Amino acid sequence: YEKPLKHARLAVDKDENNAKALYRLGQAYLKLKDVAKADEYLQRAKAATGSGKNAALDKALVALKKEKAVQQKQQAAFFKNMFAAAEKQREQEAAAAASATTATGAAAA
């Protein structure tokens, strides 16, 4: 996707309202799973096309919305697992500390 990105960037550098180049940049970033940049360029393409209908652009915006949802779901699962692992480690450390305290108390008696 580097070649299409390069060519589309050149076109946007010449005309920042080039709807086709903005659309192509948005598509390329969507394929690369960079939803922030894809969103930026697809929204700019939408603004550049005005009020006219553009089926390809509308389809890309729907695909972007779906990809955002997928990434948010993956991110939520990642953080859930991360916090669950941290909680499990705290519980194990607390149990080990309690066990050590009990063993020290029993040895002193």
Side-chain angles (χ1 to χ4, degrees):
Y1 294 102
E2 288 303 316
K3 200 172 189 177
L5 283 172
K6 180 182 176 182
H7 291 292
R9 281 191 199 113
L10 288 172
V12 170
D13 287 345
K14 290 181 182 179
D15 176 9
E16 65 183 39
N17 292 316
N18 183 328
K20 186 174 181 177
L22 292 166
Y23 167 73
R24 296 277 187 234
L25 281 168
Q27 273 190 317
Y29 282 117
L30 184 57
K31 294 288 185 186
L32 294 170
K33 308 280 188 203
D34 186 338
V35 294
K37 286 187 179 180
D39 189 34
E40 174 190 347
Y41 287 108
L42 291 174
Q43 293 301 330
R44 286 178 59 191
K46 186 175 183 177
T49 59
S51 61
K53 281 285 187 185
N54 185 324
L57 179 55
D58 292 341
K59 186 176 177 181
L61 287 167
V62 168
L64 174 64
K65 187 176 181 178
K66 287 179 183 178
E67 182 60 32
K68 279 182 179 181
V70 166
Q71 287 189 11
Q72 287 173 344
K73 195 174 193 178
Q74 289 172 340
Q75 198 173 41
F78 171 79
F79 285 116
K80 180 181 177 184
N81 291 337
M82 184 176 72
F83 289 124
E87 180 62 28
K88 185 176 181 180
Q89 184 177 355
R90 277 194 297 274
E91 289 172 359
Q92 289 173 344
E93 289 171 355
S99 178
T101 303
T102 304
T104 304

